[in-house]
Amino acid sequence: MDLFEYQGKQYFARYDIPVSAGGAADTVDEAVTQADKAGYPVVVKAQVQVGGRGKAGGIKLANNADEAREHAGNILGMDIKGHLVKRVWVENASDIAEEYYASFTLDRSAKKHMLMLSKEGGVEIETVAETNPDAILIRHIDPVDGITLEWAIQAAKDNDFPEGSVAGVAEILVKLYRCYTEGDCDLAEINPLILKPTGEIHALDAKVSLDNNAAFRHPEWDEYRATEELDEREQLAREKDLQYIGLDGSVGIIANGAGLAMSTLDVVNQVGGTAANFLDIGGGANADVMAAALEVINYDQNVKSIFVNIFGGITRGEEVAKGIVEALNRVQLKAPIVIRLDGTNAEEGRQILASAGIPESVLQSKPTMLEAARAAVAIANGAGN
Amino acid sequence: MSIFVDQNTKVIVQGLTGGQGKYHGLRNKAYGTQVVGGVTPGKGGTDVEGIPVFNTVAEAVAETGATASFIAVPPKAASAAILEAAAAGIAFIVCITEGIPAQDEARAYNTLIRDFPATRLLGPNCPGIISPGKCNIGITAGEIAALPSAAGPNVGIVSRSGTLTYQALYELKQRGIGVSTCVGIGGDPVPGTNFIDCLKEFQADPETHAIIMIGEIGGSAEEEAAEYIKANITKPMSAYIAGVTAPAGKKMGHAGAIVSGGKGTAQGKMDALAAAGVKVGLNPTEAGDLMAEIVASL
């Protein structure tokens, strides 16, 4: 789960990482109140999970309440690369002497944690990696050992940080590492990490991605979950506890297993179609799960056909078939189903479907993944039916 | 021959008294696997359909001589279960648990390689391993795996995805091709066993004549495998990579299946494998067809 900047800053603050005084606001009036509280000058920042906010006019400096009102009015409701700005973060503006970069993430190749540290902050780290890779210091950390302040000081020194900022940067690295590990982040990034003219080090932005697998030990994440940017289909799928990702195409996808679901998207694409979603119903799909999956797909106005791709390993073909028959009694589908049922007890499953008296216009069965994909795509593209 | 396990492998199930552990543990036993015990703290002295249950892995090992463990416990308890098994001297651990926090997984993995270098972990979040006719540990339905033939040629399978592993087994069975061993390494960011570990074993296994590899988006394990293949693998291979059409920045069901910052794309992985001489199919069936061609030519 990716956090908005203001949430990331609140999360940082839990681990004593210094951030600017400020508050979030959903309305212009609230924004002015937060600005008054933070103390002028303030920066009004659009809260969207997409890069390039500044260039799009989503970050503005305000010297007084009138300016704060004007900027908040312009930014709230703004469309930044397809993201609607519903909230702004208003914080006391910082004087900046230097802009640095620091992040912790998991290096999957090394199977260890990884610090990335650079004196060139304020720009995308990917850009720095391309234009000036030597400016980025990369250090691996054994998760069993963790890091110490001495280690962090050495890292800052090794990357030639000015003497005056080494101690401050190192202290933040230790806190950021604690936030990353104890806070169960996939990514904890500060860009820019600033040096103020007064010598203090301070997080001016926050990019935090949380590991959903650790949600059970973080009740404080509930509030982040409430603001997560999901479309209505994804919201519905979450309520039904389904692994669903909304896409733009016209073939609804239901498959068992993440790999097979991904593969189903690929095959639909290969035969000239586009998938409306990714949906993994997991192992042992019963009628309830199948009905829930069909309801979510059915909600999607773009769906013109539904491709159910099941390979029975643990999941048994006859149970899937019973599930579909039951689900069809519960859900009035707007698009026809093409099913490919293979693996354990697939023959029994196909017989159940064949003898259920479901018209071909509602459900057709195909023996292989490719044939089923072609049939589903033909319907979606208007050639079939 | 087979890799990692064989007919002599004695297995205990950590979590045998739980829903998943019981269901799959009994299925593994019914397949012919030597399931010699179970571990559930507080339930020592009881049994599950005749399989004795112990309080600790150490007790189970002492009583049964088990060398492998099948872990089917909830995510919160999984990394402790892995380390308990390793500390008790278990040489081969299969952990099917899905949803372990990445921090726990990274710590458990690094503890293993440091303190228990002789222990191999398969998974977490994997379907397990099957050597058809000999040993099945995990959740694979044994009947979809074709037995290897004495004369060969037989194929080894290594895959990140569970259902695509079954799909591969099925594709081979449909074509009458025997399987030496099928290993599901799992879809998490820090798998205990990776492609290269399996490829190395398959290369050395006289019963394996060709290899199918099934990868997916995210990370760089496939690219690293491609480098290894180029330098070390002489047995012919086919491969398939899932997720060509997956949108960037989204975790596609598996915790590790994510394209981020333009890295970990299916195309990049397919190109790397093709450059290493692997025949790459655009879907699982095509990978099966390519393998059938390879086998026919052996």
Side-chain angles (χ1 to χ4, degrees), chain A residues 16-309:
Chain A
D16 296 325
I17 297 165
V19 292
S20 308
D26 298 344
T27 65
V28 174
D29 286 342
E30 272 179 72
V32 175
T33 307
Q34 295 291 6
D36 288 344
K37 238 194 275 179
Y40 296 96
V42 296
V43 182
V44 182
K45 302 176 87 175
Q47 296 301 291
V48 282
Q49 290 172 354
V50 63
R53 289 178 295 173
K55 275 186 197 150
I59 301 177
K60 293 283 182 191
L61 184 74
N63 290 303
N64 52 51
D66 286 344
E67 286 181 21
R69 181 172 295 279
E70 185 193 336
H71 293 321
N74 289 336
I75 294 172
L76 282 166
M78 186 182 267
D79 184 300
I80 300 180
K81 297 181 184 170
H83 294 246
L84 179 71
V85 182
K86 296 178 196 150
R87 186 167 284 185
V88 290
W89 169 255
V90 184
E91 70 177 19
N92 181 252
S94 300
D95 290 327
I96 302 169
E98 299 283 347
E99 292 186 295
Y100 307 136
Y101 172 95
S103 72
F104 287 101
T105 186
L106 177 73
D107 180 344
R108 291 168 60 170
S109 294
K111 296 176 176 178
K112 290 188 167 24
H113 297 317
M114 179 171 76
L115 162 71
M116 289 175 81
L117 182 65
S118 176
K119 282 181 295 177
E120 295 193 14
V123 287
E124 296 262 324
I125 194 68
E126 287 82 7
T127 311
V128 182
E130 271 173 32
T131 55
N132 190 9
D134 292 343
I136 305 172
L137 174 96
I138 291 178
R139 283 282 149 90
H140 286 100
I141 302 141
D142 188 318
V144 181
D145 297 332
I147 65 169
T148 61
L149 185 61
E150 291 69 35
W151 183 94
I153 288 170
Q154 195 58 49
K157 282 184 177 166
D158 289 350
N159 200 20
D160 296 325
F161 271 68
E163 192 151 332
S165 62
V166 166
V169 166
E171 205 176 305
I172 290 210
L173 290 182
V174 170
K175 288 172 179 171
L176 186 64
Y177 184 75
R178 216 187 115 225
C179 173
Y180 165 71
T181 51
E182 289 174 28
D184 282 300
C185 301
D186 283 339
L187 169 72
E189 179 186 81
I190 308 176
N191 188 22
L193 175 68
I194 59 161
L195 170 69
K196 294 184 181 181
T198 49
E200 295 156 280
I201 307 285
H202 183 102
L204 200 60
D205 199 353
K207 193 168 174 189
V208 173
S209 182
L210 302 172
D211 174 10
N212 288 339
N213 284 348
F216 68 85
R217 58 189 176 207
H218 294 284
E220 77 275 18
W221 291 2
D222 288 352
E223 59 173 297
Y224 305 143
R225 197 159 279 280
T227 59
E228 211 178 344
E229 289 202 308
L230 300 175
D231 68 25
E232 288 175 7
R233 300 172 297 169
E234 288 173 332
Q235 196 63 47
L236 184 65
R238 169 166 294 175
E239 283 160 20
K240 296 183 183 296
D241 216 14
L242 294 168
Q243 296 253 32
Y244 177 96
I245 295 167
L247 303 168
D248 307 327
S250 57
V251 180
I253 306 286
I254 298 176
N256 66 323
L260 188 63
M262 264 188 274
S263 187
T264 309
L265 263 56
D266 293 348
V267 171
V268 163
N269 184 59
Q270 274 165 30
V271 299
T274 50
N277 64 279
F278 167 96
L279 202 171
D280 168 17
I281 54 168
N286 57 28
D288 285 339
V289 176
M290 188 53 85
L294 286 171
E295 273 173 45
V296 172
I297 303 266
N298 209 33
Y299 183 82
D300 187 337
Q301 300 297 328
N302 291 334
V303 167
K304 299 286 180 284
S305 67
I306 304 169
F307 180 6
V308 179
N309 190 9

Side-chain angles (χ1 to χ4, degrees), chain A residues 6-22:
Chain A
Y6 74 96
Q7 295 170 328
K9 285 184 169 168
Q10 288 163 354
Y11 206 57
F12 279 176
R14 298 176 77 98
Y15 296 90
D16 296 325
I17 297 165
V19 292
S20 308

Side-chain angles (χ1 to χ4, degrees), chain A residues 318-340:
Chain A
E318 83 275 21
E319 285 170 11
V320 171
K322 282 182 201 157
I324 288 178
V325 174
E326 263 194 65
L328 283 175
N329 290 330
R330 290 193 228 167
V331 188
Q332 186 64 43
L333 290 181
K334 287 180 288 201
I337 297 177
V338 179
I339 184 169
R340 170 264 187 166

Side-chain angles (χ1 to χ4, degrees), chain B residues 159-246:
Chain B
S159 165
R160 261 168 83 182
S161 143
T163 30
L164 290 178
T165 309
Y166 311 150
Q167 179 76 38
L169 282 167
Y170 188 71
E171 299 283 351
L172 292 182
K173 190 168 190 178
Q174 294 293 90
R175 294 168 176 82
I177 301 170
V179 172
S180 58
T181 302
C182 172
V183 193
I185 59 174
D188 269 6
V190 189
T193 294
N194 61 23
F195 284 122
I196 294 174
D197 297 323
C198 298
L199 293 171
K200 193 174 175 183
E201 295 283 328
F202 279 135
Q203 176 69 24
D205 175 26
E207 200 191 40
T208 300
H209 305 92
I211 307 163
I212 289 192
M213 175 174 148
I214 297 172
E216 61 191 31
I217 54 163
S220 56
E222 289 81 1
E223 289 85 340
E224 287 151 25
E227 285 300 309
Y228 184 83
I229 290 164
K230 211 184 278 178
N232 300 286
I233 303 293
T234 57
K235 295 180 181 179
M237 290 184 62
S238 77
Y240 166 66
I241 305 292
V244 177
T245 49

Side-chain angles (χ1 to χ4, degrees), chain B:
Chain B
M1 284 276 291
S2 47
I3 72 167
F4 301 136
V5 294
D6 59 26
Q7 63 276 11
N8 300 317
T9 304
K10 287 184 177 173
V11 186
I12 54 162
V13 181
Q14 288 172 259
L16 181 64
T17 57
Q20 284 219 339
K22 183 176 175 184
Y23 181 74
H24 297 297
L26 290 174
R27 277 173 67 104
N28 288 170
K29 187 173 184 222
Y31 186 77
T33 310
Q34 292 197 51
V35 179
V36 296
V39 176
T40 304
K43 295 206 175 153
T46 63
D47 74 275
V48 171
E49 300 195 10
I51 304 170
V53 176
F54 303 89
N55 284 320
T56 66
V57 179
E59 279 174 54
V61 168
E63 292 294 321
T64 65
T67 55
S69 177
F70 171 14
I71 297 180
V73 303
K76 286 181 214 189
S79 49
I82 291 167
L83 296 177
E84 187 194 343
I90 292 284
F92 188 67
I93 301 170
V94 176
C95 181
I96 65 163
T97 307
E98 178 170 10
I100 300 175
Q103 294 289 344
D104 296 3
E105 198 168 289
R107 222 166 14 243
Y109 176 85
N110 282 284
T111 305
L112 277 185
I113 56 165
R114 175 187 302 201
D115 298 339
F116 308 103
T119 298
R120 171 168 298 288
L121 169 66
L122 180 63
N125 190 12
C126 78
I129 182 167
I130 178 168
S131 278
K134 295 176 188 138
C135 181
N136 184 11
I137 306 175
I139 63 179
T140 307
E143 58 274 17
I144 58 170
L147 294 172
S149 63
N154 300 304
V155 175
I157 301 172
V158 57
S159 165
R160 261 168 83 182
S161 143
T163 30
L164 290 178
T165 309
Y166 311 150
Q167 179 76 38
L169 282 167
Y170 188 71
E171 299 283 351
L172 292 182
K173 190 168 190 178
Q174 294 293 90
R175 294 168 176 82
I177 301 170
V179 172
S180 58
T181 302
C182 172
V183 193
I185 59 174
D188 269 6
V190 189
T193 294
N194 61 23
F195 284 122
I196 294 174
D197 297 323
C198 298
L199 293 171
K200 193 174 175 183
E201 295 283 328
F202 279 135
Q203 176 69 24
D205 175 26
E207 200 191 40
T208 300
H209 305 92
I211 307 163
I212 289 192
M213 175 174 148
I214 297 172
E216 61 191 31
I217 54 163
S220 56
E222 289 81 1
E223 289 85 340
E224 287 151 25
E227 285 300 309
Y228 184 83
I229 290 164
K230 211 184 278 178
N232 300 286
I233 303 293
T234 57
K235 295 180 181 179
M237 290 184 62
S238 77
Y240 166 66
I241 305 292
V244 177
T245 49
K250 301 271 188 187
K251 284 186 182 174
M252 304 299 280
H254 287 152
I258 180 165
V259 173
S260 48
K263 296 213 173 72
T265 65
Q267 195 58 51
K269 292 169 187 295
M270 291 195 285
D271 292 348
L273 287 166
V278 176
K279 292 188 188 307
V280 182
L282 290 176
N283 55 61
T285 308
E286 209 175 292
D289 288 339
L290 291 168
M291 184 44 70
E293 284 170 24
I294 289 171
V295 165
S297 71
L298 287 174

